[in-house]
Amino acid sequence: MKVFQAIIKYGSIRAASRALNQSQPALTRSMKELESSLGTALIIRGVRGVQLTEAGRLFSIRMEVILSELQKATEELQYVNEQAEGYLRIGCSSLILLTIYPKMLAEFKKFLPKASLFLKEGQLSVLMPELRENKLDFAIGTVSENIPLNEFIEEPLFKAPFTILCRKGHSLENCTDLEQLRSANWLVPATDMGYYQQIQNFLQNTYNQLDSAPLFTDSIICGLNLALKSDYLMIIAYAMSKPLLLDHALSEIKLQSPLPEATYSLIYPRNTPLTLTANRMIKILRWHSKNTDWNQLYN
């Protein structure tokens, strides 16, 4: 299966043989044995490489899950034998990384100092495909009705307030009503999933009446740069301002009707057991989620 995986990844038996440091005949024999065991052809060999058959395409999806589970099983056995270094793959939003993650990481490293961590930053619209492909152990983010979670367990962790920020001295800094912000230049999240679907619903009338079309971006760096150096308004979790050391440069626009809170959830596969390494980090995550005051600027 690993030979088949390499052939898919590199596009040909020749390229896969170089990557695996094995001979082409050896890889060809492995593929013939796999196809013989399954009773069907998985690839079609051609001058320009290989193409998957329909059976090959279907099997490749299952194969990735199988190989991922075998890797996790190996890691757990090593852990039990006190030889584990562990490997953890997490997906989460910027809010987690800028607030509780440093403390979580420090505690995690006390228990598993040799564990390797892979961290993917993004909204759930980006993280869910990798979670489905077993490339992540779990994800943290905000869910909505248009994010199907049938094969996952969702565990709510905490609620966090969001706010509208502008640079200090902005002409609209003291506005208290959305109607007063129609003339503003807005930075709007590009995704319509999770919490940002709530935001779009909340601000729908405002968006429709804007004098200038909003700029769509999921980039925190782009958003902060435009907010700091121009008249753009941006929507951000209230707790993110202080870790960025920008509370001296940004002002909160305090509306009479505040933005709705975001519910952040832990999401992990329903039918795939979590590794011991993942369970250790989740235990730490739960504690910090519960014991953090998300209504204050995080310190």
Side-chain angles (χ1 to χ4, degrees), residues 21-264:
N21 196 26
Q22 297 184 35
S23 68
Q24 291 186 52
L27 266 62
T28 299
R29 284 195 301 271
S30 293
M31 278 306 305
K32 286 182 178 179
E33 290 174 6
L34 179 59
E35 290 176 325
S36 177
S37 298
L38 296 173
T40 186
L42 300 176
I43 60 174
I44 299 173
R45 300 158 180 81
V47 177
R48 297 183 178 179
V50 299
Q51 289 184 330
L52 293 179
T53 64
E54 180 63 17
R57 187 186 65 80
L58 293 172
F59 180 70
S60 67
I61 297 172
R62 299 289 186 184
M63 178 192 67
E64 291 293 342
V65 176
I66 293 168
L67 291 176
S68 176
E69 285 303 298
L70 283 173
Q71 179 63 33
K72 290 178 182 178
T74 302
E75 291 170 2
E76 289 199 330
L77 288 175
Q78 291 175 338
Y79 183 94
V80 170
N81 290 331
E82 297 183 346
Q83 298 175 0
E85 294 185 358
Y87 191 81
L88 180 60
R89 299 154 296 191
I90 304 173
C92 61
S93 68
S94 303
L95 174 60
I96 300 295
L97 300 181
L98 287 169
T99 53
I100 62 177
Y101 184 74
K103 293 181 179 179
M104 286 171 52
L105 180 60
E107 291 182 32
F108 178 79
K109 283 295 186 178
K110 288 180 181 178
F111 293 103
L112 296 168
K114 295 183 179 181
S116 299
L117 273 73
F118 169 84
L119 196 59
K120 176 86 172 186
E121 180 183 1
Q123 302 298 329
L124 280 188
S125 55
V126 174
L127 301 177
M128 290 305 295
E130 298 205 18
L131 196 59
R132 289 192 173 92
E133 294 172 12
N134 281 290
K135 293 180 180 178
L136 296 174
D137 291 291
F138 62 85
I140 310 158
T142 60
V143 302
S144 59
E145 293 180 356
N146 59 349
I147 300 179
L149 294 174
N150 295 336
E151 69 268 49
F152 299 101
I153 292 175
E154 178 204 351
E155 176 187 329
L157 293 171
F158 61 89
K159 290 182 179 292
F162 274 59
T163 190
I164 301 171
L165 295 183
C166 65
R167 63 173 176 79
K168 286 191 180 294
H170 196 292
S171 60
L172 301 175
E173 185 176 7
N174 297 316
C175 292
T176 59
D177 191 274
L178 284 172
E179 181 67 23
Q180 299 171 316
L181 303 178
R182 287 176 51 186
S183 62
N185 293 317
W186 283 79
L187 286 159
V188 179
T191 179
D192 60 353
M193 290 186 172
Y195 173 71
Y196 293 109
Q197 184 185 49
Q198 293 177 253
I199 287 294
Q200 287 193 15
N201 293 338
F202 183 81
L203 297 176
Q204 189 63 50
N205 290 334
T206 301
Y207 287 167
N208 291 338
Q209 298 175 22
L210 292 180
D211 294 343
S212 177
L215 171 63
F216 293 88
T217 179
D218 282 334
S219 170
I220 292 292
I221 298 300
C222 174
L224 288 173
N225 194 43
L226 286 173
L228 288 168
K229 297 181 179 180
S230 67
D231 285 334
Y232 276 87
L233 308 184
M234 69 179 300
I235 298 170
I236 194 171
Y238 185 64
M240 288 174 61
S241 176
K242 193 165 186 177
L244 291 167
L245 303 176
L246 295 173
D247 49 329
H248 68 286
L250 294 172
S251 290
E252 178 190 8
I253 296 180
K254 298 180 179 180
L255 301 177
Q256 293 177 346
S257 300
L259 300 180
E261 288 186 323
T263 299
Y264 281 79

